[in-house]
Amino acid sequence: MLRAHAERRWLSREVIPVLRQIETSEDLPDDQLPAAMAYLEVIWAEALGRARETDAERRRLDARDLSEQPLLARAHRYHRAVENLRQAVARRVAQLLGASQPRTAV
């Protein structure tokens, strides 16, 4: 759950504010747009790495003892919520970067 929480915080604190700034051109002069887009690419690559780590941890959690069922159920719900956020952000990043759709996880 901590890994999913860390990924959610990264998306919320690092990626989404940059997306909003680019999408709205808020406080962003036109000559700084290329730099903002380059920065978005860099932090999105970091976000994808975090997503891979989160998904790997989820797979490790799934292999644990079934006696920990209440914890597993909560972890699955939280992971699902983070996946939904990740997918929504991925769509926005894809639109801005002009890609068909960035990969959200491996």
Side-chain angles (χ1 to χ4, degrees), residues 55-68 72 76:
D55 292 344
E57 195 60 39
R58 163 75 189 270
R59 287 188 296 276
R60 280 193 283 281
L61 185 64
D62 287 346
R64 294 184 75 168
D65 185 0
L66 292 178
S67 66
E68 300 175 20
L72 290 174
H76 285 171

Side-chain angles (χ1 to χ4, degrees), residues 25-45:
S25 300
E26 178 183 305
D27 300 325
L28 186 65
D30 289 339
D31 63 336
Q32 292 182 4
L33 183 59
M37 295 294 283
Y39 182 64
L40 177 60
E41 286 186 63
V42 170
I43 62 173
W44 183 245

Side-chain angles (χ1 to χ4, degrees), residues 80-97:
R80 200 170 315 117
V82 172
E83 281 182 318
N84 291 337
L85 175 62
R86 184 193 310 158
Q87 290 169 1
V89 171
R91 285 189 296 273
R92 291 169 65 188
V93 169
Q95 289 175 344
L96 286 175
L97 297 180

Side-chain angles (χ1 to χ4, degrees), residues 4-31:
H5 181 70
E7 181 185 351
R8 184 197 59 79
R9 285 178 53 104
W10 177 261
L11 291 170
S12 298
R13 291 182 175 211
E14 300 296 329
V15 180
I16 292 173
V18 174
L19 279 171
R20 283 188 184 132
Q21 189 175 33
I22 293 171
E23 289 171 341
T24 64
S25 300
E26 178 183 305
D27 300 325
L28 186 65
D30 289 339
D31 63 336

